[in-house]
Amino acid sequence: MTDLIARPTDRPIAPPPFDPELEAVLAILGETLPPSITPEMIPFMREGALFGVPDEFYTERGIERRDVTIPGYNGDEILVTVISKIGRTGTGPGIYHTHGGGMILGDRFVGITGVVEWVDRFDAVAVTVEYRLAPEFPDPFPVEDCYAGLVWTAEHAEELGIDPARLIIAGASAGGGLAAGTALLARDRG
């Protein structure tokens, strides 16, 4: 009788190949990035990173922003920034933004230029969250801070001029993962 149980072998199994175009990009990245990030490297990476957008970027587009301190995970204070057209009235779409940076770098303004373009184009209101970063604040702090910011945004939708039925969550890179996690928490917690 044939033995159908898979058995480990001494031969390593090769991973499937990457798409040739992706493999070329990964090879270049492999030459320029460190092989791994250590906790000791994070402060230097944070110091060298340039985040934020000059005030002129907003004013040239007729956009205003204001910071609001809200309760984050465990009730600790975090910041969100509300971004909208100057003098905006009425109700429209809302964009809740979670920034990228591997959950170890960045601030609420990483990737915000695209969001500001949406604010301008769709007369939307954006809220971007300053979630706390690892390793000082490990999981679940980042996603729970993002969820707390989403709850605050939904609870203040009327005063912000956001139609709750038109509120989206957006993020790129680690922010995309946090956006997905935040959406799942919102679904699971009602």
Side-chain angles (χ1 to χ4, degrees), residues 120-189:
D120 188 30
R121 181 174 177 191
F122 301 110
D123 196 24
V125 173
V127 176
T128 185
V129 62
E130 186 78 21
Y131 62 84
R132 288 172 283 177
L133 302 173
E136 296 88 348
F137 297 96
D139 183 60
F141 281 88
V143 72
E144 289 287 355
D145 280 348
C146 291
Y147 176 74
L150 177 65
V151 168
W152 179 88
T153 302
E155 288 174 348
H156 293 84
E158 185 177 340
E159 82 181 60
L160 295 169
I162 295 174
D163 175 355
R166 297 172 65 198
L167 176 59
I168 65 166
I169 306 173
S173 193
L178 287 168
T182 301
L184 291 172
L185 288 176
R187 178 200 66 189
D188 295 347
R189 295 174 181 174

Side-chain angles (χ1 to χ4, degrees), residues 53-63 112-117:
V53 178
D55 289 337
E56 297 79 34
F57 176 80
Y58 299 98
T59 56
E60 289 171 359
R61 289 164 178 74
I63 302 291
I112 203 66
T113 56
V115 175
V116 170
E117 296 294 336

